[in-house]
Amino acid sequence: MRRFGLAALLLGSVVACAPVEKPPEPLAPGAGRLSLTPTAFGQLAGWSEDAAAQVLPALKRSCDRITRLPVDRSIGFDGVGGTAADWYSPCSAAARVPDGDHGAARAMFEAWFSPWQVSDQDKADGLFTGYFEPEIRGSRVRQGRFTTPIHGKPSDLVTVDLSKFRPDLPGEQLVGRLEGSKLVPYPARAEIEAGAIDTKAPVVAWTDDPVDFAIMQIQGSGRVRLDDGSVIRLGVAGSNGHKFLGIGKILKDEGKLGTDTSMPAIRAWLKANGAQARGLMARNPRYIFYGLNQGDGPLGTEGVALTPERSLAVDPRFIPLGSPVWVETTDPKGRPLRRLMMAQDTGAAIKGPVRGDIFWGAGEAAFDMAGRMKSTGRLTLLLPKARSPRMAAYP
């Protein structure tokens, strides 16, 4: 779906003196270095109190994807998650758990998965932020106050999946447009908003609020409540390939924010400062293009619908997409947040082994939680007990 993070001290512990898996080589300078230390479910603070069955719909969506893969397909970079075949039995067991039976769900995980404490070299603490699914006002046609276009994917946009040539760069893309035989950078946000692609990109809808639209672009996917009362859901169809520059950083550098740098405070300042806000927002060169999403929720990078408060965006260079993870952190209200989630999404700002972005759902309540989420925490990766030796990421 995403994304860029909007943002607890952990109480859990790991087995002392346990062996540490040999991590893959760093993928880039400063990218981090994954270490996995075996632990036990009894060592996970709050494990027996979590409503574990609530994660099963998200797990089943990921299982449906994984079990359609070739049996020898590696799961995760460097095969850290074993092969697709290793997931068949755990996924089958998950499908047999009765709805709402939290005890049976915990027993299933304990029977079929092994927990591994995630560290960046020897650092177990990391950052947890949040994101949500925005809803903005819109119209199918340009009329009245609806003058800001929501562009679909341009006809001249060229995207090259670098992972086909560099398996060590999962999800990385080269984006631009062709000039002769040369791929050149695609226009930046300011150029697009000035009309640079009007003849190349369809308009899927028009909105009356450039601030809320900019926030939707930060989050990725979103919903548009049309002036006829209907609602359409939009998913990310591509981007212009430019590096993301957060509006919070822009406002902070300009001295526009006080001590409150949360997304709700940023939105309030932008809406109160009209033309000045539009100029500052245009400094973020990244632009997202949209297409209609007919699914029952926003789609994450894994290609499955996200589940509120149970889906997590991670760095796929370290955490395999589709794997269960135990998160221990605190929510924006200072309450312990300890629960099972599914690694189902990624984000441009989600980098490193111990880094997570929690999907809070849709609406203002989700926006408030996501916009203020910025907590320290830890991550435990659950992998099938019967796990094949590591293989190349793309056999």
Side-chain angles (χ1 to χ4, degrees):
M1 170 180 174
R2 293 250 306 163
R3 248 143 339 50
F4 311 99
L6 300 177
L9 193 57
L10 171 72
L11 301 178
S13 59
V14 298
V15 177
C17 302
V20 177
E21 282 203 349
K22 181 182 178 182
E25 290 301 313
L27 304 175
R33 191 181 184 93
L34 175 69
S35 292
L36 296 176
T37 304
T39 183
F41 286 102
Q43 296 291 322
L44 304 180
W47 172 254
S48 60
E49 287 78 47
D50 182 39
Q54 292 180 1
V55 81
L56 292 180
L59 173 61
K60 290 173 183 178
R61 290 188 182 110
S62 290
C63 279
D64 185 61
R65 181 192 66 84
I66 292 174
T67 54
R68 293 172 186 266
L69 297 173
V71 294
D72 59 349
R73 176 66 59 86
S74 289
I75 303 301
F77 173 69
D78 198 40
V80 68
T83 65
D86 298 333
W87 292 77
Y88 289 0
S89 292
C91 285
S92 177
R96 296 193 297 271
V97 176
D99 293 342
D101 192 333
H102 304 307
R106 279 192 293 274
M108 182 276 297
F109 281 106
E110 291 170 1
W112 290 98
F113 291 89
S114 297
W116 297 82
Q117 178 71 61
V118 179
S119 298
D120 184 352
Q121 298 187 73
D122 59 352
K123 184 179 179 182
D125 291 333
L127 176 65
F128 289 82
T129 51
Y131 66 111
F132 76 115
E133 184 185 22
E135 181 174 290
I136 65 177
R137 297 183 299 270
S139 172
R140 293 188 184 276
V141 297
R142 180 171 182 164
Q143 60 174 332
R145 67 183 188 274
F146 298 105
T147 59
T148 299
I150 302 174
H151 285 296
K153 187 176 180 180
S155 59
D156 62 342
L157 186 73
V158 176
T159 302
V160 179
D161 183 359
L162 293 180
S163 66
K164 293 182 178 180
F165 311 99
R166 291 282 306 276
D168 60 326
L169 298 175
E172 295 294 326
Q173 298 178 329
L174 189 62
V175 180
R177 62 181 176 184
L178 291 174
E179 288 188 0
S181 60
K182 184 178 181 181
L183 187 67
V184 300
Y186 210 73
R189 172 181 295 275
E191 299 171 273
I192 291 173
E193 292 180 346
I197 65 167
D198 285 357
T199 62
K200 299 292 185 181
V203 176
V204 295
W206 300 82
T207 183
D208 64 346
D209 195 326
V211 171
D212 282 346
F213 178 47
I215 291 174
M216 189 174 92
Q217 290 225 322
I218 293 171
Q219 298 304 291
S221 301
R223 299 190 292 191
V224 181
R225 184 166 296 277
L226 299 172
D227 52 351
D228 62 5
S230 62
V231 176
I232 58 174
R233 174 170 271 133
L234 300 181
V236 176
S239 81
N240 64 348
H242 286 259
K243 186 177 180 180
F244 170 76
L245 179 59
I247 184 61
K249 182 180 188 318
I250 294 170
L251 293 180
K252 184 177 180 181
D253 290 347
E254 291 289 326
K256 306 296 185 183
L257 295 178
T259 56
D260 187 354
T261 59
S262 67
M263 185 53 74
I266 290 171
R267 183 177 70 173
W269 188 95
L270 292 171
K271 290 199 171 189
N273 289 275
Q276 185 181 7
R278 296 197 73 159
L280 292 173
M281 289 189 295
R283 292 189 189 177
N284 171 25
R286 190 174 183 85
Y287 193 93
I288 302 298
F289 305 110
Y290 289 97
L292 291 177
N293 172 13
Q294 305 293 347
D296 58 358
L299 295 180
T301 307
E302 191 190 9
V304 302
L306 301 177
T307 303
E309 300 184 43
R310 292 291 175 172
S311 291
L312 188 74
V314 297
D315 187 337
R317 299 174 299 176
F318 305 103
I319 306 300
L321 289 177
S323 59
V325 288
W326 177 255
V327 174
E328 298 184 54
T329 183
T330 54
D331 72 13
K333 297 181 179 180
R335 301 171 300 192
L337 194 161
R338 304 163 183 160
R339 67 181 55 165
L340 266 173
M341 295 187 183
M342 292 296 299
Q344 294 178 320
D345 206 0
T346 63
I350 313 305
K351 302 298 183 186
V354 194
R355 180 71 172 91
D357 205 24
I358 297 170
F359 176 61
W360 286 96
E364 282 298 307
F367 170 72
D368 182 67
M369 294 297 282
R372 295 187 294 112
M373 180 77 192
K374 191 174 182 181
S375 304
T376 301
R378 292 189 179 185
L379 194 65
T380 301
L381 175 62
L382 306 189
L383 295 173
K385 284 186 176 180
R387 186 160 52 108
S388 301
R390 285 183 172 178
M391 300 169 61
Y394 295 88

